[in-house]
Amino acid sequence: MGGAFLAAAVLARLGGRIGLPTIPLFILAGILLGPHTPGVVLVSDPHDLEMLSALGLVLLLFYLGLEFHLDDLKAGGRKMALAGGAYLALNVGAGLGFGFALGWGTSEALVLAGVLGISSSAIVTKVLVDLGRLGNDETRPILGIIVVEDVFLALYLAALQPILSGAQNLAAAVMDGAKAFAFLLLLALAARFGTRLVGRLISTRDDELLVISFLGAAVFVAGVSEWFGVADAIGAFMVGLMLGSTTSGERIRKLVHPLRDAFGAIFFFAFGLSIDPGDLPTVVWPVLAAVALTLLMNVVAGLAAARIYRFDAGQTANISTTLLARGEFALILATMAAGAGLDDRLSPFIAGYVLILAVLAPLAAGRSHWLARILPGGRGGGGPDAEGLVSLTPDGTAAAGPGRR
């Protein structure tokens, strides 16, 4: 495990020097040092890290819940709901159609709809920070779309769980779905009305006791959620939603951050261990087709959001490229699909797809002015410093163009 941490750290440091995000590098470390690749093998059996990997997934979604607030939906209003709904309809719909076109099966198509349809919150946030765009006008709808995606994520996983669990007939599937939604509704009601009570129960001045308390709550509810047919990660997300609104929420966010980073790295590393590079050539054409489809749908979704908010070509390009990355949610679905015994091609497909987009998205976002030139209203020959755009200086830092805040 120590070698896994160090290998992930070394690759992430090297990738950071050229502006690559950490997620694909952690996966790459697992692929290179796993049992399916010649050379040094740190972990011969991916199941050896299964519990640590599960903990990493729980902490990733727990942290996402801490950052999410129900009030965010109200603040964005009708425009945010329209932009988020349009993004999901275009990308999830295209993913579902692509899944059926591949002919791998109905369950596989439903998994691919989520894989192709949901952006990576972690990578999107990192791109916005690294490029200095947090103050840009188009950042608010970007974050709004992420919020809408998070709500859809919870409902989608709850609905998908009984399908992947292999319910024997329609009645059994309905019962499993009803049980999952009932428990999810219970968690939602607790998050909505039980915040004050939960806040009093968990409140303590001792950081050690606070860490043990929130970690125990997240893992326990994740386990109970799985028993009710709701993905364990969504149970952890709902606990984060509850605790994030308490008086201890800010302290919990700071205390869980290093735990999320450490065990999240193991989650991505362990996923890489399960990938056989020899399987990737068998799915190379579907992966490239999926990447091209995602690029197209993100441009269309960016144009739809720009129409709603009346943005210019530069802001449209920023939306399209920033939301391009796919990451943690796709890997969650890959893990669920593998556990359900779905088509063996799904895991290498998702791994290749995530790796390409996780690397491509930050690079595309930093050069969004190239896309802006060919969009309606673009300047054609305008450079990266045209009004409404953000460029990178030679040292890799963000430089704001005229009119930026």
Side-chain angles (χ1 to χ4, degrees):
M1 188 175 67
F5 276 119
L6 289 175
V10 168
L11 273 180
R13 283 172 176 265
L14 294 175
R17 294 181 180 274
I18 56 175
L20 295 180
T22 56
I23 288 176
L25 296 170
F26 292 153
I27 299 173
L28 181 61
I31 293 174
L32 294 177
L33 300 172
H36 304 296
T37 305
V40 177
V41 177
L42 284 181
V43 184
S44 58
D45 186 358
H47 293 291
D48 290 344
L49 295 181
E50 190 171 7
M51 182 60 70
L52 292 175
S53 173
L55 181 58
L57 178 58
V58 164
L59 289 172
L60 281 169
L61 270 292
F62 174 71
Y63 185 82
L64 193 61
L66 290 173
E67 293 289 336
F68 176 79
H69 296 283
L70 294 175
D71 291 340
D72 291 343
L73 285 175
K74 299 177 183 178
R78 181 172 174 270
K79 287 184 176 180
M80 187 182 74
L82 285 174
Y87 188 89
L88 285 173
L90 288 166
N91 285 273
V92 175
L96 184 63
F98 180 81
F100 280 121
L102 284 180
W104 291 354
T106 301
S107 295
E108 287 79 0
L110 291 171
V111 169
L112 288 172
V115 170
L116 271 66
I118 305 295
S119 305
S120 167
S121 301
I123 298 178
V124 168
T125 303
K126 183 174 175 58
V127 166
L128 291 172
V129 172
D130 289 351
L131 296 182
R133 294 180 180 171
L134 288 177
N136 287 13
D137 293 335
E138 70 274 11
T139 296
R140 184 175 180 84
I142 289 174
L143 296 179
I145 290 172
I146 291 296
V147 168
V148 174
E149 284 184 327
D150 291 340
V151 174
F152 174 80
L153 180 153
L155 298 175
Y156 181 77
L157 284 183
L160 193 62
Q161 187 74 18
I163 297 174
L164 296 186
S165 64
Q168 297 301 313
N169 52 52
L170 180 60
V174 171
M175 285 298 296
D176 289 344
K179 184 174 70 170
F181 275 114
F183 184 71
L184 193 62
L185 179 61
L186 179 64
L187 290 177
L189 290 173
R192 176 65 180 86
F193 300 106
T195 301
R196 184 172 299 180
L197 175 61
V198 172
R200 285 202 298 265
L201 290 174
I202 203 166
S203 179
T204 176
R205 295 182 179 180
D206 191 312
D207 284 351
E208 179 184 14
L209 293 179
L210 185 59
V211 169
I212 294 172
S213 298
F214 74 68
L215 188 59
V219 175
F220 178 76
V221 174
V224 174
S225 298
E226 194 171 51
W227 189 79
F228 275 96
V230 176
D232 52 0
I234 294 305
F237 173 85
M238 298 304 292
V239 175
L241 192 66
M242 283 184 256
L243 298 184
S245 300
T246 65
T247 55
S248 303
E250 188 58 37
R251 286 175 60 209
I252 293 174
R253 273 188 285 272
K254 292 179 180 178
L255 291 170
V256 77
H257 203 279
L259 292 172
R260 181 210 67 177
D261 288 346
F263 290 99
I266 291 296
F267 169 72
F268 296 120
F269 182 88
F271 181 77
L273 291 175
S274 66
I275 299 302
D276 185 348
D279 292 337
L280 294 178
T282 65
V283 293
V284 62
W285 293 115
V287 166
L288 293 178
V291 168
L293 179 63
T294 303
L295 287 168
L296 175 62
M297 288 298 103
N298 270 260
V299 172
V300 176
L303 289 169
R307 186 178 181 85
I308 294 170
Y309 285 89
R310 297 185 179 181
F311 285 151
D312 61 24
Q315 293 166 316
T316 302
N318 286 348
I319 294 174
S320 299
T321 54
T322 302
L323 289 168
L324 184 60
R326 302 295 186 263
E328 58 275 9
F329 181 54
L331 300 184
I332 293 170
L333 286 173
T335 303
M336 291 173 62
L342 299 187
D343 196 299
D344 291 338
R345 292 170 290 186
L346 268 180
S347 287
F349 171 88
I350 294 173
Y353 176 75
V354 169
L355 279 170
I356 290 176
L357 284 183
V359 172
L360 180 63
L363 299 177
R367 295 158 180 80
S368 59
H369 55 277
W370 293 354
L371 174 62
R373 294 175 186 171
I374 61 175
L375 291 177
R379 293 176 176 266
D385 292 320
E387 184 177 356
L389 302 177
V390 176
S391 63
L392 295 179
T393 59
D395 63 357
T397 58
R404 310 315 296 164
R405 287 184 284 136

